[in-house]
Amino acid sequence: MTIKLITLALVFTTLFSFNSYSADTKFNKDKDLLLLNFDLKTDVDDAHTIAALDLILQSDEFKTINYYAVSGTYGIQAGLYVPADKLFNIVFNENWTDAHQYRQTSINKTIKKINKTLSKNGRIWITEAGQSDFTQELLEALTEFGIKYSKDQIIVVQHSTWNEKETSVDALAFVKNQTTYIKIEDGNKEDNGSPGFNNKGYLVNQLENTQLISSKAWTEANKISKKYNGVNGRYNNQAIADGGADFSDLVEVTYILDITNVATVTDFFAKFNKANN
């Protein structure tokens, strides 16, 4: 893979000592990076996931964490992309990049974020709200630029067997070999060890209430869902079609940040969806 020159702000050969981390080590809010990969193809559930994530990022406990989001990290699956730039701007401001339109630029920008964290002995926690092909490209770029890392410093969390099947075989094997790869239970189901964040009975239009802190995010997420769900061959998410919630990819974030007492959609909103004061 040919990698274009990253800006001079990136230090290509960072010298630091490796610390030994175990897979169950907790996310360090002072040093670690939460890297949020969203495929946005072809399911609109990522729009719900991003809107729900906005509640976490605005909470007192997590509003200062270091994170970076990437759109368009899809793998080999067929189907059309779900554009969500406005939603990304609402939730992440400038702290995101568009790998759908500008893949190489996104690799470069993300590598800078990763390198900055590694240089301070921090770890990279990657949520795969989609496939692992983009993660493979990031790892290859790190190697090409001489940026060293250990398996313990890059932790990849995946919840979906379907996502793994839609990742190229070589990419998935590479990521599993080069990182601490953690497969958790599917977030579409309850009572399996992961929260169940797919509920067609929880009507998300109520989340547009302007008294709630993420009303703008949910208004845009619902707009995206109505516009693209099942359209032009995209996946028809039945829970969302019925007006319900599906932010199943968020279980990777709750796992990484060790967020508890959110076993269901109702539990999650009871914990995070506070009114504006």
Side-chain angles (χ1 to χ4, degrees):
M1 179 178 64
T2 301
I3 306 296
K4 295 179 181 178
L5 182 63
I6 300 179
T7 62
L8 293 177
L10 173 59
V11 178
F12 293 101
T13 54
T14 303
L15 299 177
F16 55 93
S17 60
F18 290 114
N19 289 333
S20 178
Y21 299 105
S22 61
D24 60 353
T25 302
K26 303 301 183 183
F27 183 89
N28 187 322
K29 297 177 186 177
D30 296 323
K31 296 196 302 183
D32 294 352
L33 172 68
L34 179 63
L35 182 57
L36 304 155
N37 288 345
F38 295 99
D39 65 340
L40 287 161
K41 185 180 180 183
T42 66
D43 194 345
V44 297
D45 64 342
D46 279 4
H48 278 206
T49 299
I50 294 164
L53 176 59
D54 185 55
L55 289 164
I56 295 175
L57 296 178
Q58 291 198 64
S59 68
D60 290 339
E61 186 175 1
F62 299 109
K63 63 185 179 182
T64 62
I65 64 171
N66 183 26
Y67 71 87
Y68 196 62
V70 187
S71 66
T73 61
Y74 43 76
I76 60 175
Q77 80 271 36
L80 296 178
Y81 184 68
V82 178
D85 287 10
K86 184 176 179 180
L87 179 61
F88 271 73
N89 286 330
I90 290 171
V91 175
F92 305 124
N93 297 307
E94 296 181 354
N95 206 26
W96 71 281
T97 187
D98 181 357
H100 172 64
Q101 296 191 80
Y102 311 105
R103 199 166 187 93
Q104 188 59 60
T105 298
S106 293
I107 290 171
N108 295 350
K109 288 182 176 180
T110 307
I111 288 298
K112 286 181 63 178
K113 297 285 186 179
I114 291 173
N115 187 64
K116 184 176 180 180
T117 298
L118 291 177
S119 68
K120 297 178 180 178
N121 281 329
R123 287 161 294 160
I124 316 302
W125 298 76
I126 303 176
T127 67
E128 297 285 39
Q131 299 73 48
S132 292
D133 299 76
F134 184 78
T135 298
Q136 180 198 27
E137 293 179 62
L138 291 177
L139 297 173
E140 290 177 336
L142 288 171
T143 299
E144 182 158 340
F145 285 115
I147 301 171
K148 297 180 180 180
Y149 65 92
S150 71
K151 290 183 68 170
D152 292 330
Q153 287 180 299
I154 300 183
I155 302 100
V156 177
V157 182
Q158 173 65 265
H159 85 107
S160 171
T161 299
W162 188 90
N163 282 340
E164 291 183 320
K165 291 179 178 178
E166 294 299 318
T167 301
S168 65
V169 174
D170 290 345
L172 185 59
F174 185 88
V175 170
K176 285 185 174 182
N177 183 61
Q178 297 295 317
T179 71
T180 297
Y181 186 94
I182 302 173
K183 176 67 173 1
I184 61 175
E185 294 300 323
D186 197 310
N188 287 287
K189 304 174 183 178
E190 296 181 8
D191 302 320
N192 64 357
S194 286
F197 288 157
N198 185 323
N199 185 336
K200 66 179 181 180
Y202 192 99
L203 302 181
V204 293
N205 60 356
Q206 64 186 303
L207 302 174
E208 297 181 20
N209 185 333
T210 56
Q211 298 301 310
L212 300 174
I213 60 175
S214 285
S215 61
K216 289 183 179 179
W218 276 104
T219 297
E220 181 61 22
N222 291 340
K223 184 184 298 184
I224 291 169
S225 298
K226 291 175 184 177
K227 183 174 182 179
Y228 293 109
N229 190 31
V231 174
N232 293 330
R234 291 180 178 85
Y235 175 73
N236 183 43
N237 187 309
Q238 194 58 55
I240 293 177
D242 290 342
D246 180 2
F247 48 96
S248 49
D249 286 321
L250 196 71
V251 296
E252 295 156 359
V253 175
T254 61
Y255 175 89
I256 291 170
L257 299 182
D258 196 26
I259 297 172
T260 59
N261 300 318
V262 290
T264 67
V265 170
T266 300
D267 292 339
F268 176 82
F269 287 118
K271 184 180 183 74
F272 285 104
N273 203 25
K274 308 299 182 183
N276 279 308
N277 294 320

